[in-house]
Amino acid sequence: MASTVLTAAASVVTDHHVEHKSTIPANAGEIVKLFVRERNGSGGGTRKPVLMLHGRSVPALAGFDLDHKKYSWAEELAKAGYDVFVMELQGSGLSTRPKMGDPKNVQPTEAQRRLLVPNPDAQINLDPPLYTAQLNNSQSDWDEVDTVVEFVKKETGAAKVDLIGWSAAAQQLGPYTIQHPDKVRSLFLLAPIFPPNGRQSKAGTDFGAPVALPVSAPAASFGFPMSLGTKAGLDNSWKNDLKCPNQREDDMVDIVWKAMMKADPVGAKWGGTVAGSPEGLNRIRNSFWWGWNKTTVPLHNTLGTKVPVCIVYGEHDSIVNTSPNLGLLYFSVPELYKAIPGPKKLMFCLACSGHQIPWERVHKTVHTMSEHWLKHGKVEGATSGSYYRDEEGVLSPVED
């Protein structure tokens, strides 16, 4: 099933609902719908497909196709001649959201459940969730990416697809690329989440699940399928990264939140302190991930050799670079760059930007960098190396 419209810019936009046989334990074996927006920029010429994947909490359309000025990354790439496909994994955006329609499946803490009062609940309910386990996992995510990659290849006739991921999308696209280098032309990671000491795969295999699925212990971490995010939470998190004057437009939180709620029609009716006047809540799937760490990145000598990799992140990003003392929550972009075994790797740290780069003033720089990467396999004339890009666009090499 697909719906097609012609935009004012005369590009064809088609919304697909790709069928997929689910491997999420909550609905394993069921045929579900994965939402994919296509922006056809080829104009009848040779099709050059690009697949874009969202992170943990932000729906893909709000992140990559924001309807505000020229913030739509997908539209800008389509204008450059690419066929851009923006996908949603199960539990996000307009894709199937198993176990996420019932507010009783929200994380059972007072802080989380209180957000549901009075919309849609009349009082706080701290009973255990109806489904007491995580929702998605690494294998189910990789399976869904593969279904959409095959769909894109069939639609365009291309043998390989360029992949672009933001934030936690690295957890899916990195391991997927290592497992399927024959299907991936290049990998572009924006503000990638990389835990150097992340969960290992099952002993004796590259990417097998380390434990039986679904995961429900410890209950405080995995005994529920979803949590909730608020507009205030988005704003507060973003403020942690605002270190420069005019780093973002003044009204961007309102604009972004409106786009997020448009991608979550159910969550948009939740929250608020007045009955019948919801403020909207962002339903976030609870995930159990493994197989993306300093041990797996070098596997099969794929990244940086068979598949070139470009990494871009913000200088003030407080999410992707954390303390080594945090265990599984220790994240490091430079450590990801170091772990990539091949020479075909680039990394750029952008001045005056944070984790929400697609919505900050530096977004135009990211659009241009990705376009050059896709067209030429290089950025700012470089094909390899690590660089700091200042506010004036001047590059300085960074020692590995």
Side-chain angles (χ1 to χ4, degrees):
M1 181 174 63
S3 58
T4 303
V5 298
L6 191 66
T7 68
S11 61
V12 178
V13 177
T14 305
D15 286 345
H16 303 276
H17 298 271
V18 180
E19 290 191 347
H20 170 74
K21 188 174 183 179
S22 180
T23 54
I24 288 179
N27 62 345
E30 295 182 14
I31 301 300
V32 299
K33 305 288 188 179
L34 302 178
F35 178 84
V36 179
R37 170 163 293 177
E38 174 187 358
R39 282 189 172 270
N40 189 328
S42 63
T46 302
R47 306 198 70 181
K48 298 175 288 185
V50 178
L51 178 60
M52 308 183 82
L53 181 65
H54 59 87
R56 185 184 71 91
S57 61
V58 176
L61 294 186
F64 298 127
D65 201 18
L66 187 67
D67 185 14
H68 178 65
K69 298 181 180 178
K70 292 187 177 182
Y71 278 84
S72 173
W73 190 355
E75 184 177 2
E76 294 305 308
L77 288 179
K79 288 179 180 178
Y82 291 91
D83 292 320
V84 185
F85 296 81
V86 179
M87 76 166 288
E88 298 274 12
L89 295 163
Q90 277 195 87
S92 180
L94 300 176
S95 288
T96 297
R97 289 186 179 238
K99 308 300 181 184
M100 296 178 73
D102 195 323
K104 293 179 182 178
N105 278 329
V106 167
Q107 181 180 7
T109 63
E110 183 172 354
Q112 283 277 291
R113 293 285 177 89
R114 184 178 293 279
L115 297 173
L116 299 168
V117 180
N119 300 302
D121 290 340
Q123 60 185 12
I124 296 175
N125 183 338
L126 296 180
D127 291 343
L130 300 179
Y131 182 76
T132 56
Q134 48 71 227
L135 187 66
N136 64 297
N137 59 73
S138 288
Q139 188 60 59
S140 68
D141 287 348
W142 301 332
D143 292 341
E144 291 171 22
V145 169
D146 192 53
T147 289
V148 176
V149 166
E150 289 298 323
F151 169 79
V152 170
K153 288 170 58 183
K154 183 178 179 180
E155 285 284 304
T156 62
K160 294 186 177 184
V161 178
D162 289 291
L163 300 180
I164 293 179
W166 176 25
S167 189
Q171 298 265 10
Q172 290 85 42
L173 297 188
Y176 178 82
T177 298
I178 296 170
Q179 296 173 78
H180 301 281
D182 56 317
K183 300 181 183 183
V184 182
R185 180 175 173 269
S186 73
L187 182 60
F188 186 100
L189 298 176
L190 178 67
I193 297 294
F194 177 68
N197 305 317
R199 293 188 190 91
Q200 297 290 342
S201 304
K202 187 181 297 183
T205 65
D206 289 347
F207 295 100
V211 296
L213 299 172
V215 177
S216 57
S221 297
F222 299 112
F224 53 94
M226 66 173 167
S227 59
L228 301 172
T230 65
K231 182 180 178 181
L234 170 67
D235 190 19
N236 290 334
S237 175
W238 201 340
K239 285 178 180 176
N240 290 333
D241 293 353
L242 297 180
K243 307 297 183 182
C244 301
N246 302 316
Q247 191 170 320
R248 72 176 185 198
E249 293 185 50
D250 292 338
D251 57 351
M252 284 307 292
V253 172
D254 291 336
I255 291 167
V256 167
W257 189 254
K258 182 179 179 180
M260 291 173 66
M261 291 299 94
K262 185 177 180 180
D264 188 356
V266 173
K269 298 177 182 179
W270 291 1
T273 57
V274 178
S277 299
E279 295 178 353
L281 295 172
N282 181 29
R283 295 179 297 160
I284 304 169
R285 63 200 191 125
N286 191 20
S287 309
F288 181 81
W289 287 326
W290 69 86
W292 183 234
N293 50 58
K294 62 185 177 184
T295 300
T296 56
V297 168
L299 284 174
H300 313 311
N301 200 34
T302 293
L303 299 183
T305 301
K306 300 172 185 176
V307 179
V309 182
C310 182
I311 300 169
V312 178
Y313 71 101
E315 175 185 17
H316 303 303
D317 191 330
S318 61
I319 294 177
V320 298
N321 291 308
T322 60
S323 170
N325 298 324
L326 293 179
L328 291 176
L329 296 180
Y330 164 44
F331 304 140
S332 173
V333 179
E335 287 300 316
L336 171 57
Y337 177 80
K338 292 177 184 178
I340 294 173
K344 298 177 183 178
K345 59 179 181 179
L346 272 168
M347 183 169 71
F348 297 92
C349 177
L350 305 186
C352 285
S353 55
H355 193 67
Q356 316 299 349
I357 288 182
W359 307 320
E360 296 183 352
R361 294 190 185 276
V362 76
H363 70 278
K364 294 179 181 179
T365 298
V366 175
H367 296 175
T368 300
M369 284 182 151
S370 64
E371 181 182 337
H372 290 177
W373 171 253
L374 295 172
K375 283 188 175 181
H376 310 296
K378 57 176 136 180
V379 180
E380 304 274 10
T383 57
S384 63
S386 176
Y387 303 89
Y388 174 77
R389 187 183 190 278
D390 68 18
E391 293 183 79
E392 305 300 321
V394 178
L395 295 183
S396 302
V398 176
E399 293 185 8
D400 294 352

